[in-house]
Amino acid sequence: MGETGWVKTHNKAKIASTADEQIALDELGAKSMTANEVVDAYLIDIVLDQHNTPQPTHYRELMRTKGPSIRLDLGKQAENHT
Amino acid sequence: MNALQPRSNSAPHMYRYDAFDAQFVRERVKQFRSQVERRLDGSLTETEFKPLRLMNGLYLQLHAYMLRVAIPYGTLSAVQLRQLAFIADRFDKGYGHFTTRQNIQYNWPKLKDVPDILDALADVEMHAIQTSGNCIRNVTADHFAGVADDEIEDPRPTAELLRQWSSAHPEFSFLPRKFKIAVSGAEHDRAAIKVHDIGLRIVKNDIGEIGYEVILGGGLGRTPMIGHVVREFLPKNDILPYCEAIMRVYNSFGRRDNKYKARVKILVHETGLEQIRAMVEAEFNSLDKASIAHDPKELERIAAQFANPVYDRFAAKFNDLQTQMDADPEFHLFANTNIASHKAQGYSIITVSLKPIGGSPGDASAAQMRVLSDVADQYSHSELRISHEQNIILPHVRTSDLYSVWQALKAAGLATANAGLITDIIACPGMDYCSLATARSIPIAQAIAKRFESAAEQHDIGKLGIKISGCINACGHHHIGAIGILGLEKSGIESYQITIGGDPTLTTAIGERLGPGFAADDVPDAIAKIVDVYKSTRTDGEAFMETYRRIGTSPFKEALYAAH
């Protein structure tokens, strides 16, 4: 989820740093699901990389931001694949 | 593959839809098209849509929707495979994944295209109905059905009868959990019948009548169990009433309070075999059997469509296979592993391995599917099979054509000579695709295959089945691998448990865990240590499983963990 709703890449994801912010972000996700903007929304743990871009800490979520590890030509990573 | 032209007399010998089948499938597509339209315009929420899409084999996975298409009892015509290739190119990413349940999965369909895909499937008498959900799933069978030299009777007519009986069965569409049936008609079990909810084994009784041995309550997943014989001999005409009785008992008493205890294997285990048998028999005796049993003429009608092609009686005169093998070492290796004996003289069965070194087990590109369709048209009476081992079978090949077929396969990258060897690895899609997975499977299979890339080493090791699952649900059948690998998460990283001694055949065994899990990078070394124990301990001609049964787990455990 981005600042106001669904975004296509995790780079623009909204970050919740406090418990209250997490509740608010969860509520935004639920609202977007009700509005049929997203199929499912849940909070994930992230770290900020050197570009201040959020990166998932868990390998499952990291995989979701890219695509299959055995087919770099598929999924979101395909845009950068040559 | 431009050189290959279909033979004019190469009609496949398999079940063809009648008017009812065709109408049923078309109406289902039409219904789902409407449901998809309502989902896309927002009339249906995902919560409302989910049970509808699952009834049509449509999952939502890690990156995209996934459509699972049934290949009933693993039998496929060249026309059908060509259509699967068309779908892969037109609606997906140019490939498909063949599964351990004789299905094909497309990993990237767009929701808006799925009704068109289903219509394209219906054009060639295929569908995705009941490939998901708590219903009776695609009925599987021996991939050598009809051609195996150890066969008592072709299991596919029975499987087709069960498919018709179970399709949209009003009483069994909302079972406590999914339900899987496998049928074997041969002396050797190539369909893993003892690890299915119902396993049917076609047998002959003392007076020569053909019937079924009924095995109930097998399964893998988080609680692996070997099925039990509930009926040693069931007359053929009782097959549907008896299955109906089993399903009624399961539907009534199977647990719905706990998803993880809802399979029939748990009901059998918790109730006890004798009690379950008594319950099934009581239900069976209470049924109006005549209203449920099939008309024997209908089974005859189905069986007639599976009648084998008229084989070339002069094919048996070919005697040059050994000469061809001696002249070409590469073909020799292929012939040693990927060719099985056929019940007709002068014919052979070819296993086309979908396990190239470094490839994704079970994946085939659209181009490869077209090559296989052409080869089947030219050399295998337009028929193919999908095995639960994720390979493709050419069931009716003249032995005199083997060398030509091998050359055609080789040109398409489909002549990997490893059927049954250590690099013929079964692997589920794992976390590269699956939303349920806890770890990746495919990269582990690739790393092991590369470790044992040497053809000479593979052939020296001999028959050794490695099976990998990316989660406890065991789609990769790891419990019944001679070496099984289960991918789990441990403290935020992938960890792989190794089991040994699993057996998918009639001597079914669940593998024993050797110890703590390994990091992904350490798995190939661990497998190499297990293989080293085997090679240093085996007696002349002793296969891996024989050595394991003789020496037990201790030497393997010691090799893996002694230094830890």
Side-chain angles (χ1 to χ4, degrees), chain B residues 179-190:
Chain B
F179 202 93
K180 301 173 181 177
I181 302 175
V183 193
S184 165
E187 288 175 19
H188 296 95
D189 177 17
R190 288 173 287 267

Side-chain angles (χ1 to χ4, degrees), chain B residues 212-214 229-235 242 277 281 284:
Chain B
Y212 305 97
E213 180 183 76
V214 183
V229 175
V230 285
R231 244 312 177 104
E232 288 185 1
F233 187 84
L234 181 74
Y242 199 80
R277 183 181 285 132
E281 292 292 338
F284 177 63

Side-chain angles (χ1 to χ4, degrees), chain A residues 33-40 42 57-71 73-78, chain B residues 39 42 44-46 60-63 65 93 95 108 360 431-433 435 437-440 442-443 446 488-489 492-494:
Chain A
M33 285 164 63
T34 305
N36 269 335
E37 291 171 352
V38 296
V39 171
D40 195 11
Y42 54 93
T57 57
H58 195 279
Y59 59 89
R60 181 181 192 272
E61 306 307 331
L62 197 57
M63 185 100 67
R64 294 196 76 180
T65 67
K66 296 178 177 176
S69 68
I70 37 89
R71 287 289 302 265
D73 59 325
L74 299 174
K76 290 176 179 164
Q77 65 199 351
Chain B
R39 172 66 185 130
L44 292 175
T45 65
E46 166 60 11
L60 197 49
Q61 294 287 33
L62 213 54
H63 311 294
Y65 283 101
K93 302 282 189 185
Y95 71 104
W108 306 93
S360 298
M431 194 175 278
D432 280 295
Y433 295 99
S435 60
T438 44
R440 290 172 297 166
I442 298 169
Q446 291 172 332
L488 297 167
E489 177 190 336
I493 58 168
E494 293 162 300

Side-chain angles (χ1 to χ4, degrees), chain B residues 101 140 180-182 191-199 215-219:
Chain B
R101 294 219 72 254
T140 56
K180 301 173 181 177
I181 302 175
I193 57 173
K194 286 192 173 179
V195 288
H196 280 73
D197 295 290
I198 291 178
I215 297 161
L216 179 66

Side-chain angles (χ1 to χ4, degrees), chain B residues 14-42:
Chain B
M14 54 189 281
Y15 181 76
R16 301 299 309 268
Y17 279 9
D18 59 17
F20 178 86
D21 295 320
Q23 185 182 349
F24 169 71
V25 172
R26 288 291 183 191
E27 284 178 359
R28 190 65 176 267
V29 177
K30 189 178 171 190
Q31 181 190 54
F32 190 56
R33 185 179 293 280
S34 164
Q35 291 162 348
V36 168
E37 283 168 3
R38 283 184 283 148
R39 172 66 185 130
L40 288 171
D41 72 17

Side-chain angles (χ1 to χ4, degrees), chain B residues 522-541:
Chain B
D522 295 334
V523 173
D525 280 348
I527 302 302
K529 286 178 184 173
I530 291 171
V531 171
D532 285 345
V533 170
Y534 159 61
K535 285 166 72 174
S536 64
T537 318
R538 65 183 170 186
T539 58
D540 280 350

Side-chain angles (χ1 to χ4, degrees), chain B residues 463-476:
Chain B
K463 297 278 182 194
L464 202 172
I466 296 181
K467 301 176 196 284
I468 308 174
S469 302
C471 79
I472 198 74
N473 292 306
C475 293

